[in-house]
Amino acid sequence: MAWDVVVLGATIAGLTAARRLAADGFAVTVLDPNPELVSASIGHGVAASAHASTVAKMAAAFGDSAAHEHVRRNLVGLEEIRKIAASGALELPEVELHDHSLGVALDRELHHVRRLIHDGGAEISLLGGTRSLAAAGLRSTALLIDPAAYAAVLTGQAVACGVRLVTDSTVVHIRRLDGVTKVAYRNNLAWSRELEVVAGHAVIDTLGISPWGALAGIESPRYVPTLRVPDVGMREARLLAGPPVWMMRPVAGGTLLLGPTCTAGQLPGAAVALANWASAELGAAGCDAGQLVVDPSDHGRPIVGASAIPGGFYARGNGRGELMNGTASGCYLASLLLGSGMTRGVSLPWASKLRAGLGRMLKPRRDAG
């Protein structure tokens, strides 16, 4: 029997979509190359309705409607995050987000971005500024999340809803047949040579390893240098224009600094610049340095949707390192396959929907929101 959906990647996007689909009665399996929780438990852990610089770039590149859509998807994602966290009694501190990511922006620019975010449905206001320069930016709210703890709760919820999760497995071949896609994979153990095959009516690719995922433009991962410094008394999260600093957020016993997105070759220099800034501006020394691995973004616009190959779906939006974009992408993909919301008429086969409906009648349905 073919699965209704095969998900490639136990990322935030993949697990979110899998959970929502399984909660609606569909048979879902997830294949991931890493040990359990690794693919989802990364990121900076700040979830907000929008970033000013992202919205400005999106509006310039794709138009105001795309910026509104981005905000709406993020609002759906925020509700999903709250729902998952509540299911696992996971604390989600809510803090102010001070967004200076536009840098020294003219009043008209900042007001325009504020209107774009507001028209998308989010609550946002101006921070103080001078008459001619609104250098103080925008104020909204954000959730602070422990990525590892959230990944554990999300994974547990997905499995509880009926998702079959296969980790430590590498996809080696994908073949499209009439009505189904067959995915061959192998266990990562060095001695394992036997291939296993699963078939699905639809395949969601959050890692860019399928033909349509590659065509969607999913490129090599990029890197973000991080630095954990002692507590500097900051209680809000801040977005800066950068470099060398893009984000500052409070963490237990200190403050986490994030540098700009860069290539592997640029990472050492970006890490040095971040440490120098922390020393000069905060007087911080002997800090804990690290890095994040993220998917490349397209002006912050998650690429999600149906492929030219029947039955293929894909998600890009920092699926490996950005909780907010990953959640928004996963929710949208689930909606796309279920045939609800802004789905452009693409959904799972009627046979799958009928079987899922019968399954919901036979057992209590878990709320997927």
Side-chain angles (χ1 to χ4, degrees), residues 291-319:
Q291 67 184 48
L292 299 178
V293 183
V294 300
D295 287 339
S297 59
D298 182 8
H299 296 306
R301 186 183 192 188
I303 298 178
V304 295
S307 75
I309 302 174
F313 296 78
Y314 49 84
R316 191 189 90 182
N318 291 339

Side-chain angles (χ1 to χ4, degrees), residues 324-339:
M324 186 68 258
N325 274 354
T327 303
S329 295
C331 289
Y332 184 80
L333 277 169
S335 174
L336 191 73
L337 286 168
L338 292 169

Side-chain angles (χ1 to χ4, degrees), residues 196-210:
E196 296 191 49
V197 179
V198 295
H201 294 296
V203 176
I204 295 177
D205 177 13
T206 69
L207 296 177
I209 58 179
S210 67

Side-chain angles (χ1 to χ4, degrees), residues 44 226-229 247-251 254-258:
H44 51 67
T226 66
L227 196 68
R228 186 185 179 113
V229 303
M247 174 185 283
M248 302 174 64
R249 61 151 292 185
V251 292
T255 301
L256 183 68
L257 311 182
L258 285 85

Side-chain angles (χ1 to χ4, degrees), residues 147-158:
Y150 183 82
V153 173
L154 175 59
T155 300
Q157 276 286 296

Side-chain angles (χ1 to χ4, degrees), residues 66-139:
H68 297 156
E69 179 188 352
H70 172 73
V71 175
R72 288 194 295 269
R73 289 185 189 180
N74 279 358
L75 291 174
V76 171
L78 283 170
E79 287 307 307
E80 181 78 0
I81 290 169
R82 289 189 177 97
K83 189 187 300 288
I84 293 295
S87 73
L90 182 63
E91 183 179 359
L92 288 183
E94 188 172 282
V95 299
E96 284 195 351
L97 175 66
H98 293 183
D99 191 339
H100 310 269
S101 60
L102 288 179
V104 181
L106 296 176
D107 277 344
R108 64 176 179 270
E109 295 173 329
L110 203 59
H111 278 277
H112 176 60
V113 172
R114 186 199 66 79
R115 284 196 301 272
L116 287 172
I117 297 173
H118 175 269
D119 291 347
E123 295 184 7
I124 191 162
S125 61
L126 294 172
L127 286 164
T130 66
R131 178 178 175 81
S132 58
L133 295 175
L138 300 172
R139 177 194 289 112

